[in-house]
Amino acid sequence: MKARVAIDVMLKGGILDPQGKTVEENLPSLGFEGVSGVRVGKHIELEIDAPSREDAVARIEEMSKRLLSNPVIEDFTYRLET
Amino acid sequence: MKARVAIDVMLKGGILDPQGKTVEENLPSLGFEGVSGVRVGKHIELEIDAPSREDAVARIEEMSKRLLSNPVIEDFTYRLET
């Protein structure tokens, strides 16, 4: 089966996010009020060709842990569209 | 109304994505086969406090265009969770 996959990698909750903080601090000077809690991470899209959905999920979790994120400071989530 | 917002910013289809290409080229050497079309972009999460959903949407589109993406080479999509 082939699936399109979207993976989001974000810094864990307790970890300071300087990029998000910079965006948040610059919004008011551009006229955007009422925005808080800005966090900036990575969004990865890919296509996977695997024997089964279970196999695809296992590969996505493994590659997210080993290549796409740093598990010490980052969390990841993913969605499969078959 | 308050809403949680997730914004994805990706390079437009025709634009070369060196980061995605690097990930894709390194996957086989780590034992991951069958992965193609890797694209890497930004994932932004934030909270917005706006008078109405329409107002929130307008602000999100405007800030995505003016601050979070480069409209010449990038596209953005967003989701609101109220």
Side-chain angles (χ1 to χ4, degrees):
Chain A
M1 52 91 77
K2 281 195 177 195
R4 286 204 51 79
V5 185
I7 303 162
D8 293 322
V9 179
M10 304 298 288
L11 285 165
K12 285 182 198 274
I15 311 265
L16 184 70
D17 178 350
Q19 205 180 343
K21 205 152 185 59
T22 302
V23 169
E24 192 167 326
E25 287 172 357
N26 278 282
L27 283 169
S29 68
L30 289 167
F32 299 107
E33 306 288 342
V35 177
S36 60
V38 182
R39 309 280 290 173
V40 179
K42 275 184 294 187
H43 179 76
I44 299 128
E45 296 183 356
L46 55 86
E47 277 149 56
I48 192 161
D49 193 355
S52 68
R53 191 186 166 87
E54 289 66 39
D55 186 90
V57 165
R59 279 199 229 174
I60 292 157
E61 294 198 352
E62 187 72 13
M63 78 176 77
S64 295
K65 267 181 222 153
R66 286 179 52 200
L67 182 65
L68 302 175
S69 76
N70 175 348
V72 178
I73 55 167
E74 292 172 323
D75 286 325
F76 64 88
T77 55
Y78 59 87
R79 298 182 298 282
L80 257 85
E81 295 161 24
T82 46
Chain B
M1 53 89 76
K2 281 196 178 194
R4 286 204 52 79
V5 185
I7 303 162
D8 293 323
V9 179
M10 304 297 287
L11 285 165
K12 286 181 198 273
I15 311 266
L16 183 70
D17 178 351
Q19 206 180 345
K21 204 151 186 63
T22 303
V23 169
E24 191 166 327
E25 286 171 357
N26 279 283
L27 284 168
S29 69
L30 290 168
F32 299 106
E33 305 288 342
V35 177
S36 61
V38 182
R39 310 281 288 173
V40 180
K42 275 184 293 187
H43 180 74
I44 299 127
E45 296 182 357
L46 55 85
E47 277 148 56
I48 192 162
D49 193 356
S52 68
R53 190 184 167 86
E54 290 66 38
D55 186 89
V57 165
R59 278 198 229 174
I60 292 157
E61 294 199 352
E62 187 71 13
M63 78 176 78
S64 295
K65 268 182 222 153
R66 286 178 53 199
L67 182 66
L68 303 174
S69 76
N70 175 348
V72 178
I73 56 166
E74 292 171 325
D75 285 325
F76 64 88
T77 55
Y78 60 87
R79 298 182 298 282
L80 256 86
E81 295 160 25
T82 44

